[in-house]
Amino acid sequence: MRPIGRRGFVAGTAAGAARAAAGGAAVPGAPTGTDAGPDPGTDGRAAAGTAPEGAEGPAVRSGFRGVWIATVFNRDWPSRTGLTAEAQRAELLAHLDTAVEHRLNAVVLQVRPAADALWPSPYEPWTEFLTGTQGRDPGWDPLGTAVEEAHARGLELHAWFNPYRVAPHTDPSRLVAGHPARLHPEWVLPYGGKLFYNPGLPEVRRFVQDAMLDAVRRYAIDAVHWDDYFYPYPVAGEVFEDDEAYARYGADFPDKASWRRNNIDLLVSETAARIKAVAPDVAFGISPFGVWRNIAQDPEGSDTRAGVATYDDLHADTRKWIREGWIDYVMPQLYWHIGLPAADYATLLSWWDAVVRGTGVRLYIGEALYKAGDPAQPAAWRDPGELSRHLALAAARPAVGGHCFFGALDVAKDPIGAMATVVADHYPTGVRAPGRD
């Protein structure tokens, strides 16, 4: 977890038909020997217009209220590796129930944390964050279960994928035999003590799309969701050694940075087109780091002085993706408090509100619930009302369509009552997510 930034539409029978036409089918998921949940002949979601259990009165047409469930390093779920399938399932359902209790309407579940999978993928191994051993079958289908059980509770399920992260170390021999990164060592680069797929290789770009689209074809997910990791965050004194790929593919670009941005543009635009070809009703959303560019680097940037900018450091032109209409929603991680001089929440909220207006792209705001009550954070985060004030500011911005909270463990624990304050002040009733309108 970085210190400053973490770090669809509901598929009914039409979505099932689209998947079937594409050669895929929804895959129900439940632990072996346990109740399979709702009737697999239905899409398992609550009737439209009804409030989730625990809401006060009928739902109304309103905004996105999401929560991220991170699986990398067992951040939110499962609580540790090696739990039985039944225990893993019980913990997952508890997170879904907690979301409903807080009148949320969507969960963003991390299903590909590191070139691996939380479903039986033909492309990549089972994640080690389930069993403790990469490639070991956990005895159930977590993604299938999550889709089925989320829909049964009236929640959208956004499947969260990380495109390029391979491992939190630099030793390919520690990966399971048969891992694509071992079969294709030329695809992988070490950087900052980690392994990454090289975004500059067309074969890598195609492979990571194939791996993610397998889940789109097989499950009634509501959205494909990416976080903020494209090219890796800069590490002082280190160089991302992609000179060979640049020499091979970068001749038409004025510099390496422009070539790198084009590589990520291709990843986004191609993925968008492929999602729509496979499942037109599935949304594509991205949750970038909250600063596109600082005003000192670009007069059209935000009036901020952040140490990182997606355009310059991650080679991710997030504003372009909105203008081109490649994504259905953007969820910038505005993980700072109101009044922070370097990156003021209110300043960034206004900037993103202006960027999306008239584009048709939905704007949801990523909120740093994990900072609330943390003594290591600035004093503003020890005030239970800080996040509630964020939502009050956003309510006056016409383009803001909702919020997503990081992360699920913090919703459940809520040490100073920040989430409870948000619910009391802003979520008096249950509402449908925008994708269900």
Side-chain angles (χ1 to χ4, degrees), residues 7-372:
R7 57 91 359 298
F9 291 92
V10 172
T13 55
R19 286 162 177 69
V27 179
T32 302
T34 66
D35 183 4
D39 179 358
T42 71
D43 66 6
R45 67 185 48 78
T50 60
E53 183 180 353
E56 298 174 2
V60 296
R61 295 168 67 93
S62 189
F64 186 89
R65 303 175 182 178
V67 58
W68 278 286
I69 303 178
T71 59
V72 66
F73 304 121
N74 301 99
R75 197 277 176 188
D76 292 318
W77 173 81
S79 59
R80 61 180 176 85
T81 61
L83 295 175
T84 65
E86 290 77 10
Q88 290 175 8
R89 184 177 190 270
E91 286 190 352
L92 177 60
L93 299 191
H95 281 303
L96 301 183
D97 289 339
T98 297
V100 171
E101 290 163 6
H102 288 77
R103 304 190 187 113
L104 305 181
N105 54 29
V107 293
V108 184
L109 175 65
Q110 191 174 36
V111 300
R112 186 181 186 260
D116 51 14
L118 271 81
W119 76 96
S121 169
Y123 294 94
E124 294 176 308
W126 282 105
T127 181
E128 66 182 290
F129 303 120
L130 293 171
T131 65
T133 302
Q134 189 177 66
R136 179 178 293 172
D137 189 332
W140 67 303
D141 181 353
L143 177 53
T145 297
V147 170
E148 193 170 273
E149 295 289 348
H151 289 170
R153 290 160 172 77
L155 299 166
E156 286 191 354
L157 193 290
H158 294 222
W160 167 15
F161 305 85
N162 185 290
Y164 290 127
R165 180 169 54 209
V166 174
H169 55 76
T170 60
D171 183 1
S173 70
R174 291 171 57 185
L175 301 173
V176 66
H179 193 291
R182 292 187 66 175
L183 298 177
H184 301 279
E186 71 280 7
W187 289 3
V188 179
L189 291 173
Y191 182 76
K194 302 177 178 65
L195 285 177
F196 298 91
Y197 283 128
N198 185 350
L201 301 179
E203 57 269 36
V204 164
R205 192 168 68 245
R206 181 74 184 188
F207 171 78
V208 299
Q209 291 172 22
D210 289 344
M212 293 183 285
L213 284 163
D214 179 65
V216 178
R217 290 189 176 93
R218 298 173 64 187
Y219 300 92
I221 65 172
D222 300 300
V224 169
H225 179 96
W226 292 352
D227 55 20
D228 51 321
Y229 289 96
F230 298 99
Y231 276 87
Y233 276 80
V235 176
E238 295 202 30
V239 176
F240 192 68
E241 298 286 359
D242 57 353
D243 285 351
E244 183 178 340
Y246 179 48
R248 194 184 318 166
Y249 300 111
D252 294 335
F253 297 89
D255 51 46
K256 185 185 283 188
S258 299
W259 170 72
R260 285 176 171 177
R261 276 190 292 274
N262 185 69
N263 292 332
I264 304 303
D265 285 349
L266 288 172
L267 175 72
V268 174
S269 60
E270 291 172 0
T271 300
R274 294 185 70 185
I275 291 170
K276 297 312 175 191
V278 171
D281 56 337
V282 170
F284 182 27
I286 295 179
S287 179
F289 181 79
V291 176
W292 172 69
R293 299 195 86 187
N294 292 305
I295 198 168
Q297 283 71 51
D298 191 318
E300 296 187 11
S302 53
D303 188 9
T304 52
R305 293 174 296 284
V308 172
T310 63
Y311 182 97
D312 301 286
D313 298 299
L314 308 183
H315 308 291
D317 191 351
T318 51
R319 188 182 68 163
K320 179 179 181 178
W321 308 340
I322 294 168
R323 291 180 166 183
E324 295 292 338
W326 292 337
I327 57 178
D328 297 297
Y329 70 78
V330 64
M331 191 185 290
Q333 297 170 26
L334 302 192
Y335 286 177
W336 303 286
H337 62 270
I338 298 168
L340 179 68
D344 174 30
Y345 179 93
T347 296
L348 285 161
L349 182 72
S350 296
W351 188 88
W352 284 100
D353 174 79
V355 165
V356 302
R357 285 196 210 174
T359 65
V361 175
R362 301 185 188 203
L363 172 61
Y364 310 139
I365 305 299
E367 301 285 353
L369 178 62
Y370 73 95
K371 289 186 175 181

